[in-house]
Amino acid sequence: MSMEDLYQEIILDHYRKPHNRAPSLEDEDVHVHHSNPLCGDEMDLRLRVVDDRVDAVVFDGEGCSISQASASAMSDVVTGRDLKDALDLAEDFRKMMHGDEPARADDLGDGIAFQGVAKFPVRVKCALLGWMAVRDAIESYEQGASAHTVTHEE
Amino acid sequence: MSMEDLYQEIILDHYRKPHNRAPSLEDEDVHVHHSNPLCGDEMDLRLRVVDDRVDAVVFDGEGCSISQASASAMSDVVTGRDLKDALDLAEDFRKMMHGDEPARADDLGDGIAFQGVAKFPVRVKCALLGWMAVRDAIESYEQGASAHTVTHEE
Amino acid sequence: MTFDVPTLRKEFPTLSRELDGQRLVYLDSAASSQTPRVVLDAMDRYYSWSRSNVHRGVYQLAEEATDLYEGARAKLAAFVDADPRGVVFTKNATEACNLVAYSWVRRHLGEGDALLTTMMEHHANHVPFTFAARDLGFEVRNVPLTEDGQLDLDAARELVADGRVRFLAVGHVSNVLGTINDVGELSRIVRDAHPEAKVHVDGTQAVPHMPVSFRELGADFYAITGHKMLGPTGIGALIARPELLDEMEPFLTGGDMIRDVTLDGATWNDVPHKFEAGTPMIAEAAGLGAAVDLLTELDMHAVRAHEVSLTTRMLEALSSVDDVTIHGPLDPTLRGCAVSFAVDGVHPHDVGAMLGSKGVCVRVGHHCTKPLMRCLGLNATARASTYVYNDVDDLAPLVDGIEAARRFFAR
Amino acid sequence: MTFDVPTLRKEFPTLSRELDGQRLVYLDSAASSQTPRVVLDAMDRYYSWSRSNVHRGVYQLAEEATDLYEGARAKLAAFVDADPRGVVFTKNATEACNLVAYSWVRRHLGEGDALLTTMMEHHANHVPFTFAARDLGFEVRNVPLTEDGQLDLDAARELVADGRVRFLAVGHVSNVLGTINDVGELSRIVRDAHPEAKVHVDGTQAVPHMPVSFRELGADFYAITGHKMLGPTGIGALIARPELLDEMEPFLTGGDMIRDVTLDGATWNDVPHKFEAGTPMIAEAAGLGAAVDLLTELDMHAVRAHEVSLTTRMLEALSSVDDVTIHGPLDPTLRGCAVSFAVDGVHPHDVGAMLGSKGVCVRVGHHCTKPLMRCLGLNATARASTYVYNDVDDLAPLVDGIEAARRFFAR
Ligand SMILES: Cc1ncc(COP(=O)(O)O)c(C=O)c1O
Ligand SMILES: Cc1ncc(COP(=O)(O)O)c(C=O)c1O
């Protein structure tokens, strides 16, 4: 298990300088809280939707480099996409984490750098944390009122 | 584990022609019922006491050759003894079954033939059944009223 | 569709032991089966190569251990045709039955309700429920047996007629009579009277010996034990419908089965983990996985065919001895391969001792089925039971030993 | 009073494994210890020579198996200075805690009563009691910790002052902070306020590492697990006062734990068998017996001395690394050998992964102590823990790995 297999440079970049990391979001529509009970990671994710598109997404919380970097990469990827498309990418990422070849490799952006994580089962949950949070945020938005808070544990 | 080690001729004699085997006893003072849950053996033992002596003891029930033969030998040994003495012999027999040399080998009568059973742990309970029943019968008699019935399980 | 017993036998180390110069003839697999080298090797590999705890490690050993453990779950699930999310590892079948008694029965049945079980249950599938009944005041009803040791289904229909039976606990195959119960039909009888009734099957004596599909059987719960199916001691499983597990409260609580713990409460992990508290039986799971692999390779249809043919010969052989009475069905296709018998005038203990002295291992006693013993008017039986490593050459020593016991203990 | 670690290490097969060409440095014994060959051999001997079920067999194999199983009970009893009648084998420590929760706490505590436990318990010694509290409505109180990770006994005195506390559940040694708790003193505090109160100690992290006398400790119940004391997986024990066990209702019910069963009830077997339902962990008991033999041979005073000296060096080594904070007592005589630490700015997961990549196995996470984590304001820690096969040569790889993690994950 070598460090290089897991921690690609692009991952470390996101980890060191995360994008869209913030404790709050103006005019947020949904706020979800995810935690990974096994490693004790916690993530708050806030989503703002305009015209059925991800207008903005920010995350905050505690987590290892993989979870933080993955959430950062995710936030870049989904911002601006329409909700269905974002959900589809989240599913593609999830499948990639379980060993499948991603169907939309190009659209996953820096998310593709996490493909190697699939080889480290314990870290798969870390990489998924942000993606599962955004998926829940979107699904909550679609099911729910204009604004609400969901506390959801993986 | 050879059959000869366990089933001495004297044991088989008691098994084939048990002494003091009967379903009832005139003027009985105590009746105890013992069972060995592991092999499903059941024994009814009836005791009559006169002047603090075992005036008569009879047993009945279901059991393997060892339990039947041992009860038969026991009945010969304790009949006519005073209660304390009978209890003492029961204790000597119990210790013998746990591997000790009997302190009163001569007084144990045919009971001594069961010494080899100590080498067969599963059968120890069988050999003890009658002895433990008579011990309980005496103790019940000593603690209790003139006549009463005790159902006691090992 | 047959396999080579002499070759297979070499894989079971204890079977090459001699007792007082005599070949060991092991006829007690219904109590516990022998363990093949492949199973011992699988456990040894874990202990000598990947020894660590499962589920939370970030280092390689821990990942390997987790893969072994979860891999065994997947294998067992495939073997009994069930969803891996519905496979809960326990220490034995008894714990599996208790899990059901605590997490379902004790939380759903109360006064006015009834639970149906049968007269032929092993204590593991009886006492957890009567004990719950004593605490909670529901009624326990027992399906009686027919003359030939089958469940009396007509009587069962009457027992459920008032619609109060909400739970059925029934054995798939009797460990004493050998009877294969028509669990599907009995389930229908129970559910016809109460559609929401739950069905728990004790599959301990079935899974080692015949193909079993949990999905086809249509039960809600199904208990298994590892040590009777070529696996190690210390592991069993409850197979269940995962949706049902989802709804249930846990039984054992502690580490690994929780999602979060606060000072005064906890939220539970996903199934099946919710029901697996504490460090699990890791080596044992690895061993059980290897046992399942071997059984799969042998093919359970072939195993069953071998056993039907051997049981046919066993029943013939026993019937040929004077004064021997066989308990349970005499048609080998209606039964498993545990055969209880009585030798007239000789106590089972003495039969067992004589056989033991000749290297033939059989079980004697009540076989943890006291209600059945009472029902049969017996205190104990002698029981010979076979498995994949037994063959017709094991029958002659059995018959010889019984004959010897008859002569020796004649009065 | 010292032993030869390099020689001893050869007995533990996994330790001679290499990971990516690097020596395996196993620092996760608080999660599960390595298993020596003598333990594997003991289990193998059972499986290859005496493979059969215990307690009811009349043939030689079954007697040997019974001797192995009951012999292991006697060994464990002697090892912890307890009465063998008070040694109940369980599948792990978690089951032992649940046994106490079901058979004592749930049958004695109700509304108006309180149970005392602490902020530093493992979930195994916390959740079974809070779960019971939720069902039964009694109150759970938690002894808080002092700054240096000790139990705050003054606070404990206040918590029991109203005389409602009828039960204490406390860990002997913390699996996170390493703290050795003054269980005797806390018991006195509880019993002074309520003389009939029962004391249950989680000895999982104590028994492997120091001499323990159950009699001297004066507890009513004491939980142990085999896989952390050189034994196999799948076995643990509850040590208890046999008189108390005598009075208690059983927990798991089924075969082997009963005296008699009728259609609607059962009478129980003698203790400890009353608490051991079903086929027990036979091979595992044989293995645990061999582990106890080895520990006895090493001498638990020597084991403790070795670990105090190694922990001293470990604390020094960790303190020498910048940005490392050690949780728990810094005085090695007040603590066991599990050492949790934080590396400022690096998540424990990343510390663990870096160490793992260098062949150093440590545990990261909440260690099944969520309430403690909240109390410390943490989500997770990294934890290095040693045992008899560790020595100072294991400390340099640990320190190097932490340094590497600091560099690699510097922002
Ligand atoms: C302090 C403590 N108590 C209880 C346990 C539970 O032990 P087991 O997982 O063997 O049941 C552990 C180990 O995980 C522990 O460290
Ligand atoms: C029919 C039946 N059910 C349950 C059990 C209990 O299995 P275990 O002892 O492995 O819990 C047995 C075996 O003893 C059995 O034969």
Side-chain angles (χ1 to χ4, degrees):
Chain A
M1 183 155 40
S2 96
M3 290 298 279
E4 292 67 36
D5 292 351
L6 185 56
Y7 296 97
Q8 299 200 16
E9 207 45 48
I10 207 164
I11 296 183
L12 288 171
D13 286 347
H14 273 285
Y15 162 67
R16 293 200 181 101
K17 295 200 184 47
H19 309 172
N20 302 305
R21 185 179 167 110
S24 65
L25 176 65
E26 223 170 297
D27 298 329
E28 76 178 32
D29 288 299
V30 188
H31 166 204
V32 296
H33 177 84
H34 273 231
S35 72
N36 176 341
L38 290 186
C39 37
D41 292 343
E42 312 260 346
M43 182 168 293
D44 286 281
L45 182 137
R46 293 173 161 84
L47 173 74
R48 187 171 65 225
V49 179
V50 172
D51 290 343
D52 270 352
R53 292 190 171 266
V54 176
D55 190 54
V57 60
V58 302
F59 72 96
D60 200 13
E62 281 257 4
C64 67
S65 57
I66 301 289
S67 73
Q68 299 298 299
S70 181
S72 168
M74 174 280 293
S75 69
D76 286 349
V77 170
V78 300
T79 303
R81 294 198 182 259
D82 75 47
L83 299 183
K84 225 174 133 295
D85 196 31
L87 281 180
D88 191 58
L89 280 171
E91 181 58 16
D92 206 39
F93 188 90
R94 194 188 65 75
K95 285 192 177 146
M96 181 174 85
M97 282 301 102
H98 290 102
D100 293 355
E101 270 307 309
R104 302 177 57 190
D106 290 348
D107 296 338
L108 280 176
D110 287 354
I112 205 75
F114 293 82
Q115 187 163 16
V117 176
K119 275 179 279 158
F120 302 86
V122 213
R123 308 305 293 274
V124 163
K125 291 204 169 189
C126 310
L128 280 173
L129 193 60
W131 287 94
M132 294 304 100
V134 81
R135 188 176 79 176
D136 276 343
I138 295 172
E139 286 173 354
S140 302
Y141 174 84
E142 287 179 336
Q143 287 161 23
S146 55
H148 73 278
T149 300
V150 179
T151 301
H152 177 101
E153 305 185 65
E154 193 269 342
Chain B
M1 184 156 36
S2 94
M3 288 300 277
E4 291 68 36
D5 291 351
L6 184 56
Y7 296 97
Q8 300 201 12
E9 206 47 46
I10 206 163
I11 296 183
L12 288 171
D13 286 346
H14 273 284
Y15 161 68
R16 294 199 181 101
K17 295 200 184 46
H19 310 171
N20 301 306
R21 185 180 167 110
S24 64
L25 175 65
E26 223 170 297
D27 299 327
E28 76 177 32
D29 287 299
V30 187
H31 165 204
V32 297
H33 177 84
H34 273 232
S35 71
N36 176 341
L38 289 187
C39 38
D41 291 343
E42 312 260 345
M43 181 168 294
D44 286 281
L45 182 138
R46 293 172 161 84
L47 172 73
R48 188 172 65 226
V49 178
V50 173
D51 290 342
D52 270 353
R53 292 191 170 267
V54 176
D55 190 56
V57 59
V58 302
F59 72 96
D60 199 14
E62 281 257 6
C64 67
S65 57
I66 300 289
S67 73
Q68 299 299 300
S70 181
S72 169
M74 174 280 294
S75 69
D76 286 348
V77 170
V78 299
T79 303
R81 294 198 182 260
D82 76 46
L83 300 183
K84 227 175 130 293
D85 196 32
L87 282 181
D88 191 58
L89 280 171
E91 181 58 15
D92 206 38
F93 188 90
R94 194 188 65 76
K95 285 191 176 147
M96 182 176 85
M97 283 301 102
H98 290 102
D100 293 355
E101 269 308 310
R104 303 177 57 188
D106 289 349
D107 296 338
L108 280 175
D110 287 354
I112 205 74
F114 294 82
Q115 188 163 15
V117 176
K119 274 179 279 160
F120 302 86
V122 213
R123 308 305 292 275
V124 163
K125 291 205 170 192
C126 310
L128 279 173
L129 192 61
W131 286 94
M132 293 303 100
V134 83
R135 189 176 79 177
D136 277 342
I138 295 173
E139 287 173 355
S140 303
Y141 173 82
E142 287 179 336
Q143 286 161 24
S146 55
H148 74 280
T149 300
V150 179
T151 301
H152 177 101
E153 304 186 65
E154 192 270 346
Chain C
M1 286 297 265
T2 174
F3 45 86
D4 177 13
V5 177
T7 307
L8 187 60
R9 217 174 251 176
K10 295 204 184 82
E11 299 302 311
F12 295 84
T14 300
L15 292 183
S16 58
R17 180 171 171 185
E18 295 200 339
L19 287 173
D20 291 333
Q22 301 160 107
R23 179 168 78 85
L24 178 77
V25 175
Y26 191 76
L27 292 174
D28 197 17
S29 295
S32 213
S33 61
Q34 292 298 317
T35 318
R37 267 185 231 288
V38 283
V39 169
L40 303 183
D41 290 348
M43 293 195 284
D44 215 69
R45 215 152 40 231
Y46 162 68
Y47 281 121
S48 315
W49 188 247
S50 307
R51 180 74 179 96
S52 59
N53 212 327
V54 294
H55 287 155
R56 287 169 310 254
V58 287
Y59 53 87
Q60 192 170 333
L61 267 55
E63 285 182 7
E64 292 168 1
T66 306
D67 285 350
L68 274 175
Y69 183 69
E70 294 300 331
R73 192 194 307 281
K75 284 178 188 183
L76 183 60
F79 187 64
V80 296
D81 188 22
D83 184 332
R85 293 202 323 125
V87 175
V88 177
F89 282 125
T90 58
K91 68 176 174 180
N92 53 24
T94 304
E95 186 195 332
C97 294
N98 277 273
L99 194 172
V100 174
Y102 278 95
S103 286
W104 204 89
V105 172
R106 282 181 181 253
R107 292 197 179 264
H108 289 86
L109 264 63
E111 277 177 42
D113 293 325
L115 177 151
L116 189 68
T117 179
T118 90
M119 290 283 195
M120 63 163 90
E121 296 311 310
H122 188 279
H123 293 162
N125 205 34
H126 202 267
V127 187
F129 305 115
T130 54
F131 186 41
R134 203 207 58 183
D135 283 344
L136 295 161
F138 61 83
E139 194 189 330
V140 176
R141 299 175 185 173
N142 295 274
V143 180
L145 309 186
T146 60
E147 272 300 301
D148 59 335
Q150 313 265 354
L151 293 178
D152 183 340
L153 296 182
D154 289 331
R157 274 183 204 94
E158 282 174 36
L159 286 171
V160 302
D162 65 0
R164 293 224 196 140
V165 169
R166 297 186 54 201
F167 188 90
L168 166 66
V170 59
H172 201 166
V173 175
S174 161
N175 63 319
V176 175
L177 302 173
T179 322
I180 301 175
N181 290 322
D182 190 345
V183 170
E185 182 58 20
L186 186 57
S187 306
R188 265 186 297 281
I189 290 171
V190 169
R191 289 187 180 132
D192 279 352
H194 194 313
E196 295 296 298
K198 298 291 176 275
V199 173
H200 167 66
V201 178
D202 173 3
T204 310
Q205 296 287 349
V207 167
H209 302 284
M210 57 182 67
V212 168
S213 163
F214 176 72
R215 283 198 181 86
E216 278 177 26
L217 203 64
D220 297 290
F221 304 106
Y222 196 90
I224 286 177
T225 208
H227 66 93
K228 297 191 208 265
M229 53 189 286
L230 308 185
T233 59
I235 191 162
L238 179 71
I239 316 292
R241 289 195 298 108
E243 317 82 69
L244 195 54
L245 291 180
D246 273 333
E247 291 164 17
M248 284 158 56
E249 290 282 8
F251 165 38
L252 301 177
T253 58
D256 236 37
M257 56 68 69
I258 57 96
R259 194 191 295 302
D260 200 0
V261 174
T262 59
L263 285 180
D264 48 35
T267 51
W268 318 122
N269 202 340
D270 294 330
V271 303
H273 309 291
K274 178 167 90 176
F275 292 96
E276 295 182 355
T279 301
M281 299 67 72
I282 310 170
E284 291 81 354
L288 184 56
V292 163
D293 283 345
L294 178 57
L295 287 172
T296 306
E297 195 184 305
L298 292 176
D299 176 3
M300 290 309 294
H301 293 280
V303 168
R304 173 70 185 146
H306 169 71
E307 295 188 5
V308 168
S309 101
L310 187 54
T311 304
T312 308
R313 300 291 292 274
M314 162 100 78
L315 293 169
E316 283 166 14
L318 289 174
S319 310
S320 74
V321 188
D322 284 344
D323 298 330
V324 165
T325 315
I326 294 168
H327 305 294
L330 293 176
D331 177 348
T333 64
L334 298 180
R335 57 173 299 143
C337 47
V339 181
S340 281
F341 59 93
V343 183
D344 198 29
V346 188
H347 190 277
H349 237 147
D350 292 319
V351 174
M354 175 61 86
L355 285 166
S357 78
K358 297 191 171 301
V360 181
C361 307
V362 302
R363 185 111 323 208
V364 301
H366 55 60
H367 314 293
C368 296
T369 58
K370 279 261 185 174
L372 174 61
M373 290 294 125
R374 280 212 185 81
C375 184
L376 299 173
L378 300 169
N379 272 326
T381 77
R383 178 188 70 188
S385 56
T386 61
Y387 205 7
V388 291
Y389 34 71
N390 292 111
D391 215 340
V392 281
D393 61 349
D394 294 329
L395 300 180
L398 173 67
V399 168
D400 290 349
I402 297 172
E403 296 277 19
R406 279 184 63 231
R407 281 192 304 273
F408 194 81
F409 292 103
R411 292 201 227 221
Chain D
M1 287 295 266
T2 172
F3 45 86
D4 178 11
V5 176
T7 307
L8 188 60
R9 215 174 253 177
K10 295 203 184 81
E11 300 301 312
F12 295 85
T14 301
L15 292 183
S16 58
R17 180 172 171 183
E18 296 200 337
L19 287 172
D20 290 334
Q22 301 160 106
R23 179 168 78 84
L24 179 76
V25 175
Y26 191 74
L27 292 173
D28 197 17
S29 295
S32 213
S33 62
Q34 292 299 316
T35 318
R37 267 186 231 286
V38 283
V39 169
L40 304 184
D41 290 349
M43 293 196 283
D44 216 69
R45 217 154 36 233
Y46 162 69
Y47 281 121
S48 315
W49 189 246
S50 307
R51 180 73 178 96
S52 59
N53 212 328
V54 294
H55 288 155
R56 287 170 309 258
V58 286
Y59 53 86
Q60 192 169 335
L61 267 54
E63 284 182 8
E64 292 168 2
T66 306
D67 286 349
L68 274 175
Y69 183 69
E70 294 301 331
R73 192 193 308 281
K75 285 179 188 185
L76 183 60
F79 186 64
V80 297
D81 188 23
D83 185 332
R85 293 202 322 123
V87 175
V88 176
F89 282 125
T90 58
K91 68 176 175 179
N92 52 25
T94 303
E95 186 195 332
C97 295
N98 277 273
L99 194 172
V100 175
Y102 278 95
S103 285
W104 204 90
V105 173
R106 283 183 180 252
R107 293 196 179 264
H108 289 87
L109 264 62
E111 277 177 43
D113 294 324
L115 177 150
L116 189 68
T117 180
T118 90
M119 291 283 193
M120 63 164 91
E121 296 312 309
H122 188 280
H123 293 162
N125 205 34
H126 202 268
V127 186
F129 305 115
T130 54
F131 187 40
R134 202 207 59 181
D135 282 345
L136 295 161
F138 61 83
E139 195 189 328
V140 176
R141 300 176 185 173
N142 295 275
V143 180
L145 309 186
T146 61
E147 273 299 301
D148 59 336
Q150 313 265 355
L151 292 180
D152 183 340
L153 296 182
D154 289 331
R157 274 183 204 94
E158 282 173 37
L159 286 171
V160 301
D162 64 0
R164 295 223 194 143
V165 169
R166 299 186 53 202
F167 188 90
L168 166 66
V170 60
H172 201 166
V173 175
S174 160
N175 63 319
V176 176
L177 302 173
T179 322
I180 301 175
N181 291 322
D182 190 345
V183 169
E185 182 57 21
L186 186 57
S187 305
R188 265 186 295 281
I189 291 171
V190 169
R191 288 187 180 131
D192 280 352
H194 194 311
E196 296 295 297
K198 299 289 175 276
V199 173
H200 168 67
V201 179
D202 173 4
T204 310
Q205 297 287 349
V207 167
H209 301 285
M210 56 181 70
V212 168
S213 163
F214 175 71
R215 285 198 181 85
E216 278 178 28
L217 202 65
D220 297 290
F221 304 105
Y222 196 90
I224 284 177
T225 209
H227 67 92
K228 298 191 208 264
M229 52 189 285
L230 307 185
T233 57
I235 190 162
L238 179 71
I239 316 292
R241 289 196 297 109
E243 318 81 69
L244 195 54
L245 291 180
D246 273 333
E247 292 165 15
M248 285 158 54
E249 290 280 7
F251 164 39
L252 301 176
T253 58
D256 237 35
M257 57 69 68
I258 56 97
R259 194 190 295 303
D260 200 0
V261 175
T262 58
L263 285 180
D264 47 36
T267 51
W268 318 124
N269 202 341
D270 294 329
V271 302
H273 310 290
K274 178 167 88 176
F275 292 96
E276 294 182 354
T279 301
M281 300 65 72
I282 310 169
E284 291 80 355
L288 183 57
V292 163
D293 283 345
L294 178 57
L295 287 172
T296 306
E297 196 183 304
L298 292 176
D299 175 4
M300 290 309 294
H301 293 280
V303 169
R304 173 71 184 145
H306 170 71
E307 295 188 4
V308 168
S309 102
L310 187 54
T311 305
T312 308
R313 301 291 292 272
M314 162 101 76
L315 294 169
E316 283 165 14
L318 289 174
S319 310
S320 74
V321 188
D322 285 344
D323 298 332
V324 165
T325 314
I326 295 167
H327 305 295
L330 293 176
D331 177 346
T333 65
L334 298 179
R335 57 174 300 144
C337 48
V339 181
S340 281
F341 59 93
V343 184
D344 197 29
V346 188
H347 190 277
H349 237 147
D350 292 320
V351 174
M354 174 62 87
L355 285 166
S357 78
K358 298 191 171 302
V360 182
C361 307
V362 301
R363 186 112 323 210
V364 301
H366 55 59
H367 314 292
C368 296
T369 57
K370 279 260 187 177
L372 175 61
M373 290 295 127
R374 277 208 189 84
C375 185
L376 299 172
L378 299 169
N379 272 328
T381 78
R383 180 188 69 189
S385 56
T386 60
Y387 206 6
V388 291
Y389 35 69
N390 293 110
D391 215 340
V392 281
D393 61 349
D394 293 330
L395 301 180
L398 173 66
V399 168
D400 290 350
I402 298 172
E403 296 278 18
R406 280 184 63 233
R407 282 192 304 273
F408 194 81
F409 293 103
R411 292 201 228 221

